[in-house]
Amino acid sequence: MIIDTHMHPTNIVDQAWRHDGEPFTGERTIEMMNGPYMINGKPRRIDYGCIMPPPGNSVWQDGMPGGREGIRKYMAYITELVQRYPDRFIGNFMYNPRFGPENGAKELEFHVKEYGYKMMKLHANMHAYRPDRALDWLRPVLRVCDELGVVVLIHTGDGPYSIPTQFYPIIREFRDVNFILAHFGVQTGGVYCFEALYMILDSPNVYGESGWLLQSRIVEFAQQMERHQLVFGTDSPPNEPGMWARELEVLCGPPPQGMNLSEEDLEGYLGNNMAKLLGLKPTPPPRTMEEAQARLLDTYATVDPVPAS
């Protein structure tokens, strides 16, 4: 299967990025996920999307309720989508400690137990806190992650509060929690991919997300990392998933652009590594065009089969 660890559907134009056009709803997201995307000559879809609100929608604004009520409000549309499309969407809880650390911890537990959320997102830049100093803001919610097996996705790649190593203190404190470094330390405001790499190499509970990482660095880093420590994430929207899938597919080619990666290991990067973290059953890649087409016709898929060449 293919699992995108990083998607932001919304029913309102996001409050920070202010993208043009109509809101990128859950239905538009599923249409995008259905593709199809050609990978090693076979049509594929993104089977699951791990979804969270755009981070700007989780920042307190005038007139917005605070505390647990405010958290539940900014998470409401994601919860609606997780319930409406359980075979396509997995909930990722956006944690903003400014609504109260204990409130956030209780709401994370509620969303996990009530709606099956499996992930939590930290975005220290959007929520304005220093993660290496605000440990008391992070510990309550991380204890819930530790207890319930929640995977933590961390926004990284730009200052002042999202440089990867700023999260080392909390990562070292919670060694049984799995952390994914979103964007692999790369954003428009900085390139901290080597920091992210060395954190991954040093820490068995730290993983890298492929999206935003430069293609030449993907092949360089993938050869040094354990095969299970790289996952597929696109930060869509605004990004288009197919281009990031292509940057992983190219690893199946010869050096220097590729590393002669097997299709089984590519399937790990595209989804099976994440499936194991989420407690889902991994699947092998489709062996034939017919098998690939059959998968596209599964529940919720709306694309027509691609003619065999």
Side-chain angles (χ1 to χ4, degrees), residues 164-184:
T165 48
Q166 290 178 305
F167 291 91
Y168 237 154
I170 202 69
I171 288 173
R172 286 173 167 167
E173 188 171 332
F174 288 88
R175 296 180 183 272
D176 292 329
V177 175
N178 290 313
F179 296 88
I180 300 172
L181 302 181
H183 320 310
F184 215 110

Side-chain angles (χ1 to χ4, degrees), residues 273-298:
N273 291 347
M274 196 63 199
K276 294 173 185 177
L277 290 176
L278 296 172
L280 303 176
K281 184 179 179 180
T283 60
R287 302 298 179 185
T288 65
M289 176 66 75
E290 292 71 25
E291 184 180 343
Q293 290 174 341
R295 292 189 187 186
L296 290 180
L297 296 178
D298 198 1

Side-chain angles (χ1 to χ4, degrees), residues 64-183:
M64 186 176 182
R68 295 185 66 176
E69 182 184 358
I71 297 170
R72 208 165 290 192
K73 182 177 176 63
Y74 71 67
M75 290 304 306
Y77 184 61
I78 299 301
T79 297
E80 177 186 329
L81 293 176
V82 168
Q83 292 178 288
R84 189 187 307 164
Y85 304 110
D87 293 332
R88 301 306 298 275
F89 288 144
I90 295 168
N92 186 339
F93 180 83
M94 181 72 71
Y95 173 65
N96 182 351
R98 295 189 175 276
F99 284 78
E102 294 295 340
N103 292 330
K106 291 175 182 176
E107 280 300 308
L108 171 62
E109 181 178 4
F110 172 78
H111 281 74
V112 171
K113 293 182 175 179
E114 190 71 19
Y115 302 119
Y117 278 58
K118 295 180 180 295
M119 297 181 68
M120 180 185 75
K121 174 72 175 291
L122 299 178
H123 201 310
N125 267 353
M126 193 66 71
H127 300 143
Y129 63 94
R130 248 183 81 177
D132 55 330
R133 298 289 291 173
L135 296 176
D136 287 342
W137 285 11
L138 294 174
R139 287 185 178 116
V141 78
L142 262 296
R143 292 189 190 106
V144 175
C145 293
D146 197 0
E147 177 185 351
L148 300 181
V150 175
V151 179
V152 179
L153 181 68
I154 303 175
H155 170 86
T156 67
D158 42 17
Y161 306 130
S162 292
I163 296 168
T165 48
Q166 290 178 305
F167 291 91
Y168 237 154
I170 202 69
I171 288 173
R172 286 173 167 167
E173 188 171 332
F174 288 88
R175 296 180 183 272
D176 292 329
V177 175
N178 290 313
F179 296 88
I180 300 172
L181 302 181
H183 320 310

Side-chain angles (χ1 to χ4, degrees), residues 164-230:
T165 48
Q166 290 178 305
F167 291 91
Y168 237 154
I170 202 69
I171 288 173
R172 286 173 167 167
E173 188 171 332
F174 288 88
R175 296 180 183 272
D176 292 329
V177 175
N178 290 313
F179 296 88
I180 300 172
L181 302 181
H183 320 310
F184 215 110
V186 178
Q187 278 291 276
T188 52
V191 178
Y192 298 93
C193 56
F194 286 96
E195 279 198 12
L197 171 66
Y198 296 131
M199 290 173 68
I200 293 166
L201 295 180
D202 287 345
S203 308
N205 63 326
V206 178
Y207 297 72
E209 179 190 82
S210 64
W212 288 90
L213 183 58
L214 296 80
Q215 189 274 322
S216 59
R217 294 295 178 229
I218 292 178
V219 64
E220 176 185 344
F221 293 170
Q223 294 178 79
Q224 301 178 60
M225 296 163 54
E226 297 289 341
R227 284 286 192 265
H228 68 276
Q229 285 186 292
L230 184 63

